[in-house]
Amino acid sequence: PMRSHAPGPASPGTPRTPGAEPLSVRPRGAADLAPCARVLAEVHAHSAYPMNWPADPVGWLSPPELRAAWVAVDGGGAVAGHVGLSRATADDGAPRLWGRRSGGDPSATAVVGRLFVAPGDRGRAGGARLLASAVDAARGAGLHPVLDVLASDTSARALYERLGWRELGTVAQQWGPGDPVTLHCYAAG
């Protein structure tokens, strides 16, 4: 299963591109799916996220456990990024680790995933704003936001830590043939 293994979304703060306005965030609509899939293809070519390219990118963006999703858009309304919020499944490491550490029920979590920002739009606060939207929605539903990220994705891990996420630990998952991948699991602070 593939979850929230995001490759270094934009960091909060001033945009890198002179004159580039920060991206805004709104709920994802059905008409956003094809543009999201195009941006995902750019991200995959640039950053190898997702690690395993899905046969159906639009379907990958809308897994059965999805609760809600948002898009980051530029001033002209073009999609520049995406995040989803999902119910925890038995395959998710972060909810299990959160339950063990907090003594809480893993089903009281919401999994942040499918987080990405187009390479040319990074540095415009899109990643941080997308993440904030998902966290706010999870908390509004009485759930604790969690996520996991590939151990090799140091830029995404640095963003989460700057934004106050706490590392819960690591898990290994099998994503097809070959060696298992190592994931770092985080909970919102």
Side-chain angles (χ1 to χ4, degrees):
M2 297 163 116
R3 303 299 288 174
S4 59
H5 323 290
S11 60
T14 307
R16 285 192 301 248
T17 308
E21 293 296 319
L23 299 171
S24 60
V25 173
R26 63 171 171 73
R28 185 186 82 189
D32 296 319
L33 285 169
C36 283
R38 286 191 293 274
V39 172
L40 183 63
E42 287 178 43
V43 170
H44 181 72
H46 180 269
S47 308
Y49 173 79
M51 188 173 108
N52 300 320
W53 183 252
D56 175 13
V58 168
W60 184 82
L61 292 167
S62 298
E65 60 275 1
L66 186 70
R67 295 174 147 283
W70 297 265
V71 292
V73 296
D74 65 18
V79 171
H82 177 274
V83 70
L85 187 65
S86 297
R87 290 180 300 283
T89 69
D91 293 331
D92 292 319
R96 285 193 315 270
L97 291 179
W98 178 83
R100 286 183 201 144
R101 288 189 85 189
S102 69
D105 180 357
S107 68
T109 62
V111 179
V112 177
R114 295 351 190 224
L115 174 59
F116 57 89
V117 175
D121 289 305
R122 293 182 185 172
R124 297 178 64 189
R129 289 178 176 193
L130 285 163
L131 197 55
S133 294
V135 166
D136 289 348
R139 289 186 172 146
L143 301 170
H144 197 85
V146 296
L147 60 81
D148 46 48
V149 62
L150 282 168
S152 60
D153 198 346
T154 57
S155 60
R157 292 175 49 213
L159 171 67
Y160 304 139
E161 291 168 10
R162 276 194 310 274
L163 295 176
W165 287 69
R166 297 179 328 273
E167 185 171 349
L168 300 169
T170 60
V171 297
Q173 284 189 352
Q174 192 68 45
W175 287 358
D179 294 332
V181 296
T182 301
L183 304 172
H184 287 263
C185 301
Y186 286 86

